[in-house]
Amino acid sequence: MNLRSKLFKKPWQQKDPAGRAAAVRTDQDPELEAELPRLAQHDESALVRLAALERINTEPFWLDARLRESEPAILEAADHFLARSVLREPRAELEAARLEWFQQVSDQALVRAVAERSPLLALRRAALARITSQGFLGDRYATETDDELAAELLARLDQPSTLERVIGALRSRNKKRARAAAEKLEHVRSEQGQGSPGQAASERLVGEAEQLARGDFHGDAREIIAGLRRRWDETDAHPEGMTRRFESAMRIAEAARNRPPPAAPGEPETTQPGEAELPDAALAAAAGHLRTRIREGQRADPAELLAGWDRAWNQLVDVSPADEQLKHELLPLLRELQAQIQQRKAAPAADHASKPAPAVDFDARLDETAATLEAGDIARSHDQIRRLRSEFDRLPKRQRPGPAGGRLQRMEGRLKEMRNWQHWSNNQLRDELIARIEALPASGQHPDAITAALKAARSEWKRLEGLEILPGDKRRFAAPSGQWRRFQNACKGAFEAARPYFKKREQVQQDNLATLHEFIAAGKAAAEDPTTEIATLLGFQRKARQAIRRMDDLPPKARGGSAAGLRDLMDRLSKRLDAVFSEVESTKRRLVTEARTLAHEKDLKTAIDKAKALQNQWQKAGSGRRKVEQQLWQEFREPIDPLFARLKGEQTERQAADQQAHAELEALCVQAEELVELPEDELEGARGRLTGLIDQWLQMNPRPARLNLRFEKAERRFEERLQAHHAKIEQRERERLWSLASALQELWARRVRGETGDLSHELPATETSDPAIRVLADKARIVAAAEPDLDQLARTAEQGLAAARQVTVEMEFLSGLDTPADDQPLRMDYQVQRLARRMSERERQPDLATELAELQTRWAQSLPHPPDHHAELARRFERARQIIEGMTGST
């Protein structure tokens, strides 16, 4: 790094965190881009780290920050990024870090989103493990792409209604999972004592049979029917309801497959099907009847013969090659019959020549009806066929067109078949509707949702009825009576389950209505009371506007009257507020007039006082209408503002006059600050100079608050430095005392060990005025003398031991430490003496620091101690001293 880069740092290298963060977001410096990873991980400022992370904006860095950081802003930004990232990209290499992050996520919406949309299997598994909602787990089972995870979800499903819904959703999409869910449902029901053995298998077979009955299958119908029968017989213990549904569906399927043709007049019906290589039995019978009538020369209507063949041909479901071959063989006969029909139309009999031809074009209308039938419009087809049948039957028998009659008859049969299918299908829908209603009480839905579902169910039931009951029908209801009773009972049960909520809500609405009536009464009373304040009236008006928007909280029958009462209240409040506002505005107009008279006031001070009084009256007058209030305020300020402008000018002149005094005060501050900066050894001599500056300062008035603070700060700093200087001197004296005390104890220990001779040369220097040090120095010189009196010194040491023990006990008392058992009597005596002293000298109690200094001096003066006892006492004394110094803050 060169000198220029050291002196002129780049914006992203500055000290200010906000500036650095802004530079990190916007600068395009290559050096910055290289430093972004380091800044994102190690910068001391959270703002800079967040800016670097947003600049990098990659998942590994966000994951690292989310797992390492504790800054709320960074954690929130990381969660926001990761919540989107884990739903978009698999990133298998980040699976472990993602799982570690996901364990810290508490947002349930995000947990559900991960369980539903995360492309990473491990994340989906972890999310689903934290979800207990049966409905959600069932939805995920139906849509989960991983079979193993789906099996885990199925193992957790134990709610029958959810399993039933899942089975219905999967029946057409994933039969394997649908069967597994059905088996689980059977297991759950058997455990709950609700199901019967084999119910799931029975439901599957019934579903397949009903699908076959609807014609939704592929392959040979005979083989499918035989296979269903065989599988049904292999399963034991079918529920009774399942058996009825299965047999009904199988009868419909067999009837659709083996539907017999209508029998020819005078000929018994043929019901036995032919072999697989032969034409259809009904078609063969129609062909035989046609050949027999023509071969025997029997008199027959060609239209009737042709209609019989058409009926048999149109009833075929699958046209086989044998059927085509039979049609090809009969084609000459069919053409001959068609020719005879055309001749009859071209040359009508003479006895019918005088009768008018039918005016109805049956063929065109039959074609239209056939198209309507093919479109599945049963209601319109029923109406068309009914009209055609009426018009057809009104014609004389000889004028009725035979082919049209045959087509009409076939259409009537087809319509009946479609209506039967519709009735069967609608009954299935009604059963499903009943099942949904029966499940409502245990669904946990809100009662309003239950009532909405009941309304929708009744509307659906009515719609199904409307589809089946057509004009001209003799029956009034399409649904079976038993099914209708089940539906009514289910609706009643669901509503009874929700009834307690409605009663409670009705009670709450009644309470709200009572509260509203009290509010309206209080509001009217406030509007009528002339002493009511404007704020109170405005509060009532605001609450009334809020209440009129919440009419849903009231009983339905009372909403209209309540709204009228609120509107009446708001009208009264508006009238009262208008009157109050008019009074306020009148008062303020008077104040504007008085303010304009201030322009003629000669004395500025008097004018300013009056202006302030008018302003005070303006505030007390209250608020009026905003628009009028603003206009009056401008008129009020117009004569007053010049007065305050003049006052400001005079104040400026006074300020200029005070600048000289201000400069003198600043000079005193500078002198005081210079005294503060003197060397320590000159501070004591400068105290008199500072006292003189203080006297000069107090004689000068006025003194600005800022300069007062400045001078007081300098004075305070001077005293602090002087006290610190004294503290240093005291510290040196204390260190000298402890050094001498240590030397004294050491010399005495050496004497006790038997060392002789003059040891004075080992004593430290003791030039001081401190009496305690001088006393200790005298003792040291006695011990260090060439021929000391050891007996006397031993007695002195014993006396010092007793004094030291007393000092140690007092130190332990002040520090709160426990005293050994041997010294407990000393401590008890000291506590009694201390209590008595406090009671007698209540006004002269020393502080803790003073007591500590006194005890330290007494300890030093108690030296020397017998070496056998000194170490333990010194340890106790030092431990107590450290605690007391911590309590006084002198450590």
Side-chain angles (χ1 to χ4, degrees):
M1 181 180 293
N2 55 30
L3 181 60
R4 177 180 178 82
S5 62
K6 290 182 179 180
L7 295 176
F8 303 99
K9 293 184 178 180
K10 297 181 179 180
W12 57 275
Q13 296 173 331
Q14 301 296 328
K15 292 184 178 180
D16 180 33
R20 283 192 291 126
V24 167
R25 287 191 180 93
T26 58
D27 282 8
Q28 301 298 324
D29 186 1
E31 184 179 354
L32 168 61
E33 295 178 356
E35 285 290 310
L36 283 176
R38 183 189 64 80
L39 294 174
Q41 295 177 340
H42 305 299
D43 194 272
E44 61 184 9
S45 172
L47 288 175
V48 177
R49 295 199 302 275
L50 178 58
L53 286 168
E54 292 175 343
R55 180 78 176 271
I56 297 172
N57 205 36
T58 59
E59 186 173 350
F61 277 90
W62 280 116
L63 278 171
D64 176 71
R66 181 61 178 83
L67 300 176
R68 172 176 45 81
E69 287 281 358
S70 59
E71 184 67 28
I74 296 179
L75 297 181
E76 182 180 359
D79 285 340
H80 181 70
F81 177 90
L82 294 173
R84 292 181 286 109
S85 179
V86 299
L87 298 179
R88 290 199 305 261
E89 303 174 2
R91 301 296 296 273
E93 71 277 7
L94 299 176
E95 178 178 318
R98 283 183 172 183
L99 289 174
E100 185 176 359
W101 159 76
F102 187 68
Q103 291 175 357
Q104 304 176 12
V105 172
S106 59
D107 185 1
Q108 288 302 313
L110 176 57
V111 173
R112 290 200 171 209
V114 171
E116 187 175 2
R117 303 199 302 273
S118 174
L120 201 59
L121 176 61
L123 267 182
R124 295 202 306 275
R125 178 177 277 108
L128 289 167
R130 296 170 57 179
I131 297 174
T132 58
S133 171
Q134 290 285 301
F136 185 84
L137 293 177
D139 294 338
R140 297 309 308 141
Y141 172 74
T143 57
E144 175 57 47
T145 57
D146 184 76
D147 292 337
E148 182 179 352
L149 181 54
E152 296 174 5
L153 293 174
L154 181 60
R156 296 173 58 190
L157 294 177
D158 55 6
Q159 184 170 299
S161 60
T162 300
L163 288 168
E164 291 173 354
R165 180 171 58 81
V166 169
I167 293 169
L170 291 174
R171 183 172 288 132
S172 60
R173 292 191 288 122
N174 193 327
K175 298 184 182 299
K176 180 179 178 181
R177 289 193 185 177
R179 286 194 296 271
E183 293 173 358
K184 181 61 182 290
L185 176 60
E186 180 181 3
H187 176 69
V188 170
R189 284 178 172 171
S190 63
E191 287 184 346
Q192 298 177 351
Q194 298 177 355
S196 58
Q199 183 169 357
S202 301
E203 290 180 352
R204 288 198 300 272
L205 291 174
V206 168
E208 295 180 18
E210 291 175 348
Q211 185 177 2
L212 175 65
R214 291 193 297 269
D216 185 10
F217 67 93
H218 299 285
D220 190 352
R222 291 190 183 90
E223 294 180 1
I224 296 174
I225 292 172
L228 284 175
R229 286 287 187 189
R230 183 176 62 258
R231 289 161 57 193
W232 181 266
D233 294 337
E234 290 173 355
T235 304
D236 297 332
H238 294 290
E240 183 179 356
M242 295 290 102
T243 302
R244 289 197 300 270
R245 288 176 59 189
F246 179 80
E247 293 298 336
S248 175
M250 293 300 290
R251 283 196 299 271
I252 294 174
E254 291 171 350
R257 182 65 188 88
N258 300 320
R259 182 184 298 111
E267 182 174 333
E269 295 183 356
T270 304
T271 58
Q272 296 294 331
E275 297 297 330
E277 67 276 9
L278 297 178
D280 181 79
L283 189 67
H289 176 71
L290 189 148
R291 286 170 174 166
T292 301
R293 296 292 295 273
I294 295 177
R295 183 173 57 252
E296 294 178 356
Q298 296 180 7
R299 187 175 182 181
D301 186 1
E304 180 183 348
L305 296 176
L306 189 59
W309 168 260
D310 288 341
R311 280 194 300 271
W313 181 263
N314 291 333
Q315 288 175 356
L316 292 177
V317 177
D318 296 322
V319 179
S320 64
D323 297 333
E324 291 286 354
Q325 179 63 30
L326 180 60
K327 179 181 179 181
H328 182 73
E329 293 174 358
L330 288 178
L331 194 57
L333 294 178
L334 297 175
R335 288 175 178 172
E336 177 62 25
L337 292 174
Q338 185 66 33
Q340 292 178 13
I341 293 173
Q342 294 296 332
Q343 289 177 2
R344 288 189 178 187
K345 288 182 180 180
D351 54 335
H352 297 159
S354 60
K355 297 183 180 180
V360 180
D361 187 358
F362 283 102
D363 290 336
R365 293 180 62 182
L366 286 171
D367 291 341
E368 181 182 357
T369 304
T372 306
L373 276 173
E374 291 299 324
D377 191 346
I378 295 178
R380 186 180 174 192
S381 301
H382 172 80
D383 181 65
Q384 291 175 341
I385 290 175
R386 188 167 59 86
R387 292 177 182 274
L388 282 171
R389 172 55 66 186
S390 175
E391 295 176 6
F392 187 84
D393 290 344
R394 283 200 301 269
L395 292 175
K397 291 186 177 181
R398 293 187 177 182
Q399 293 184 11
R400 298 174 183 174
R407 289 185 66 188
L408 180 60
Q409 183 178 359
R410 291 193 296 274
M411 288 182 183
E412 289 173 339
R414 177 61 176 163
L415 176 62
K416 182 178 181 181
E417 181 182 6
M418 290 177 66
R419 292 191 66 180
N420 289 337
W421 274 104
Q422 183 189 46
H423 180 65
W424 177 84
S425 176
N426 288 347
N427 283 345
Q428 303 301 311
L429 295 177
R430 293 185 183 99
D431 286 337
E432 294 177 2
L433 199 61
I434 293 171
R436 289 202 299 269
I437 297 300
E438 290 174 342
L440 282 177
S443 64
Q445 298 185 39
H446 192 275
D448 286 337
I450 292 179
T451 56
L454 291 176
K455 291 179 181 179
R458 291 189 179 277
S459 298
E460 178 64 13
W461 189 281
K462 185 177 181 180
R463 185 187 70 84
L464 294 176
E465 289 286 315
L467 291 176
E468 293 192 51
I469 303 301
L470 301 178
D473 287 352
K474 295 181 180 180
R475 58 179 180 174
R476 296 178 57 192
F477 306 105
S481 58
Q483 197 177 43
W484 168 249
R485 285 192 296 271
R486 284 175 54 210
F487 177 73
Q488 287 289 83
N489 292 335
C491 291
K492 182 179 179 181
F495 184 77
E496 289 297 328
R499 185 186 295 275
Y501 167 80
F502 296 129
K503 289 185 177 179
K504 180 63 177 178
R505 184 169 67 180
E506 182 179 357
Q507 180 62 41
V508 172
Q509 289 177 344
Q510 291 294 338
D511 294 343
N512 292 340
L513 180 61
T515 303
L516 180 63
H517 287 165
E518 294 176 0
F519 169 78
I520 293 175
K524 290 180 178 179
E528 299 296 333
D529 187 358
T531 62
T532 306
E533 297 181 354
I534 296 179
T536 304
L537 296 174
L538 290 174
F540 274 107
Q541 189 178 56
R542 182 180 65 257
K543 291 180 180 179
R545 289 172 179 171
Q546 294 173 352
I548 205 168
R549 299 189 189 102
R550 300 181 59 182
M551 290 291 103
D552 291 342
D553 296 342
L554 303 177
K557 294 182 179 180
R559 291 171 185 171
S562 300
L566 286 171
R567 284 192 290 269
D568 179 61
L569 173 61
M570 288 189 289
D571 290 340
R572 296 190 183 193
L573 291 171
S574 297
K575 292 179 181 179
R576 175 65 194 285
L577 286 171
D578 289 342
V580 173
F581 287 155
S582 299
E583 183 179 353
V584 170
E585 291 163 3
S586 175
T587 301
K588 291 190 174 182
R589 285 191 176 91
R590 177 181 57 79
L591 294 176
V592 170
T593 304
E594 294 180 10
R596 288 171 179 167
T597 62
L598 295 178
H600 307 289
E601 185 66 45
K602 296 181 179 180
D603 186 11
L604 179 60
K605 184 178 183 305
T606 304
I608 291 296
D609 292 340
K610 291 183 178 180
K612 291 180 179 179
L614 291 176
Q615 288 178 335
N616 189 24
Q617 294 179 41
W618 184 280
Q619 295 294 332
K620 293 180 179 179
S623 300
R625 300 177 185 88
R626 180 177 300 179
K627 186 175 181 180
V628 178
E629 178 82 8
Q630 292 176 350
Q631 180 182 357
L632 292 175
W633 176 246
Q634 293 296 330
E635 296 176 1
F636 180 72
R637 288 184 54 188
E638 183 177 354
I640 290 180
D641 286 348
L643 298 176
F644 286 99
R646 287 174 54 193
L647 179 62
K648 184 177 180 181
E650 293 183 359
Q651 290 174 348
T652 303
E653 293 177 0
R654 286 196 299 270
Q655 289 174 359
D658 293 339
Q659 286 180 354
Q660 181 64 30
H662 188 273
E664 294 178 2
L665 291 172
E666 283 193 343
L668 291 176
C669 290
V670 171
Q671 294 179 39
E673 291 168 350
E674 290 175 352
L675 293 179
V676 174
E677 303 299 331
L678 289 175
E680 289 185 350
D681 54 353
E682 300 179 13
L683 290 174
E684 190 66 36
R687 179 185 288 276
R689 294 168 57 189
L690 180 62
T691 303
L693 292 177
I694 293 174
D695 292 338
Q696 295 180 44
W697 181 267
L698 294 176
Q699 292 174 3
M700 299 184 68
N701 282 306
R703 298 186 297 274
R706 180 180 62 82
L707 293 180
N708 258 332
L709 292 175
R710 182 178 173 184
F711 188 83
E712 290 173 359
K713 180 179 180 181
E715 181 183 0
R716 186 169 58 254
R717 288 181 59 199
F718 182 86
E719 293 295 336
E720 290 173 354
R721 286 201 62 200
L722 188 59
Q723 291 176 6
H725 177 60
H726 291 163
K728 287 182 180 179
I729 295 175
E730 293 175 359
Q731 178 66 22
R732 286 197 296 269
E733 293 296 325
R734 190 162 50 251
E735 291 175 355
R736 189 177 300 165
L737 174 65
W738 290 112
S739 175
L740 184 58
S742 178
L744 172 59
Q745 182 64 34
E746 177 62 26
L747 288 174
W748 173 242
R750 291 166 64 181
R751 291 299 188 193
V752 172
R753 289 194 299 269
E755 188 172 346
T756 60
D758 187 4
L759 303 177
S760 301
H761 62 280
E762 298 185 14
L763 293 176
T766 57
E767 293 79 3
T768 179
S769 59
D770 190 343
I773 297 177
R774 288 202 300 271
V775 171
L776 203 59
D778 292 341
K779 288 184 179 183
R781 281 193 291 272
I782 293 173
V783 175
E787 295 180 357
D789 187 354
L790 296 180
D791 294 336
Q792 178 63 32
L793 289 175
R795 288 191 294 271
T796 302
E798 288 297 332
Q799 295 173 0
L801 175 62
R805 194 178 297 278
Q806 180 65 35
V807 170
T808 304
V809 168
E810 294 180 17
M811 289 283 289
E812 288 173 340
F813 173 78
L814 293 177
S815 63
L817 292 174
D818 293 334
T819 301
D822 294 342
D823 293 338
Q824 281 293 335
L826 291 176
R827 181 162 181 163
M828 294 178 63
D829 293 342
Y830 172 71
Q831 289 177 338
V832 172
Q833 295 172 8
R834 183 180 179 87
L835 179 60
R837 188 169 62 250
R838 282 186 175 273
M839 294 178 64
S840 61
E841 300 176 0
R842 190 167 299 175
E843 302 297 332
R844 295 177 293 169
Q845 296 297 324
D847 58 11
L848 187 58
T850 303
E851 289 189 80
L852 175 61
E854 180 184 352
L855 289 170
Q856 287 177 331
T857 302
R858 288 170 55 194
W859 171 269
Q861 291 175 348
S862 69
L863 294 170
H865 305 149
D868 296 340
H869 301 281
H870 174 75
E872 176 62 20
L873 286 175
R875 183 188 65 77
R876 290 167 56 190
F877 178 84
E878 182 62 22
R879 182 183 176 195
R881 183 179 66 83
Q882 291 178 358
I883 292 176
I884 296 174
E885 287 180 348
M887 294 167 63
T888 59
S890 59
T891 54

